[in-house]
Amino acid sequence: MGYSAFRAAGQISENGFSARDLLQLVRGNSTLKGEKEGRTNILFLGYGGKGNPGGTLADTNLLFSYNYSDKKVALISFPRDLYLPIGKTGSYNKLNYAYASGEENPKATGGGGAVASDTIANISDVSVHYYVSMDFVGFVKLIDTLGGVTVNVEKAINDPLYPDDKIVGGIYEKTNGYKPFKLAAGVQKLDGTTALKFARSRETTSDFDRARRQQVLLEAIKDKATSMGVLSNPKKVVDIINVIGNH
């Protein structure tokens, strides 16, 4: 497990955060940014990835904020269509373009995560200490590796215009067709493919509904990842680390 984590950290991290830094945090020999001030903020970014038109547009921009004094977390979703100044450039565009603009020239900008973090920091007036970005394929693989997640579907979904996209051999394939997506209200166990649809569907609901579903999914992933069924299974832990390392 230690070897896998050390190897994957080299693939996961950017901007000088190394496997040694990760090891020191786990051992308790280091502190997170913001910890001394009482709050650490992490930006979660979801984007399409390879095989998806506009694959670097981050349609999910969710700020995770941890308060050390009461050990509570706030989740704040920012609508992808907000029209605002991007990063430190001063040029205006939609929020989902912030990540894409950084990925177009990462050497000059620091990468998509850095630009998106600056953009969110500017409009929220809080520091964004870290970011995590993941593509569609990684999201599906992560949930399948966890063995699925359980969520409470607050409102039934009936989306006749959901894209008929596929993931074949670990590669996302975009089509021009549609495949209606339905999900009944109530407690449901979702595999990776269904969870992605649950997170993406928007044609018959609003972006605010979709943001709420993404928050519900994030909580469900946390609950499953910290369950004994996962933590007591070394192979599953290694598989999860490898998924994160690759995506």
Side-chain angles (χ1 to χ4, degrees):
M1 288 172 61
Y3 170 78
S4 293
F6 196 86
R7 184 191 62 81
Q11 298 173 277
I12 296 169
S13 57
E14 295 178 348
N15 299 336
F17 190 81
S18 68
R20 179 169 295 181
D21 296 324
L22 180 62
L23 182 61
Q24 288 181 337
L25 280 173
V26 172
R27 294 177 60 185
N29 296 336
S30 181
T31 58
L32 289 167
K33 295 178 183 177
E35 188 171 346
K36 293 180 180 178
E37 293 75 30
R39 185 179 289 276
T40 293
N41 303 314
I42 305 171
L43 180 62
F44 284 81
L45 299 158
Y47 64 101
K50 294 179 181 179
N52 192 311
T56 56
L57 295 173
D59 285 343
T60 295
N61 295 263
L62 193 161
L63 191 64
F64 170 105
S65 183
Y66 180 71
N67 188 329
Y68 290 90
S69 63
D70 59 14
K71 295 182 170 58
K72 289 186 177 181
V73 167
L75 298 177
I76 306 158
S77 296
F78 294 84
R80 66 173 192 163
D81 289 331
L82 284 176
Y83 191 70
L84 73 181
I86 300 297
K88 298 175 181 177
T89 66
S91 61
Y92 276 70
N93 212 311
K94 293 200 300 184
L95 174 59
N96 68 346
Y97 178 67
Y99 185 82
S101 69
E103 291 298 288
E104 288 172 359
N105 189 359
K107 288 186 178 180
T109 63
V115 176
S117 295
D118 287 340
T119 303
I120 293 296
N122 289 340
I123 63 171
S124 65
D125 200 29
V126 300
S127 299
V128 178
H129 302 108
Y130 302 97
Y131 58 83
V132 179
S133 59
M134 181 169 280
D135 60 22
F136 286 171
V137 175
F139 182 79
V140 170
K141 285 185 175 181
L142 175 62
I143 290 180
D144 283 341
T145 303
L146 286 169
V149 294
T150 300
V151 300
N152 181 26
V153 181
E154 296 175 351
K155 294 189 292 184
I157 299 174
N158 184 2
D159 184 353
L161 298 177
Y162 190 86
D164 186 21
D165 300 347
K166 300 175 177 63
I167 295 176
V168 180
I171 298 174
Y172 186 89
E173 293 185 0
K174 175 72 176 174
T175 74
N176 294 322
Y178 299 100
K179 187 174 183 178
F181 170 54
K182 295 182 179 181
L183 192 63
V187 176
Q188 304 277 4
K189 184 174 181 180
L190 311 180
D191 62 10
T193 299
T194 308
L196 180 64
K197 293 178 180 180
F198 182 69
R200 291 186 65 201
S201 176
R202 66 186 178 91
E203 291 296 340
T204 53
T205 57
S206 71
D207 256 357
F208 297 104
D209 290 328
R210 182 167 70 163
R212 171 60 186 154
R213 291 197 299 271
Q214 291 171 358
Q215 292 183 4
V216 167
L217 271 173
L218 191 61
E219 293 181 61
I221 291 171
K222 182 266 296 180
D223 289 342
K224 190 62 176 286
T226 55
S227 66
M228 286 306 298
V230 172
L231 294 179
S232 62
N233 186 333
K235 182 182 184 305
K236 185 161 286 193
V237 173
V238 169
D239 289 344
I240 291 169
I241 290 170
N242 287 332
V243 169
I244 296 172
N246 292 329
H247 293 276

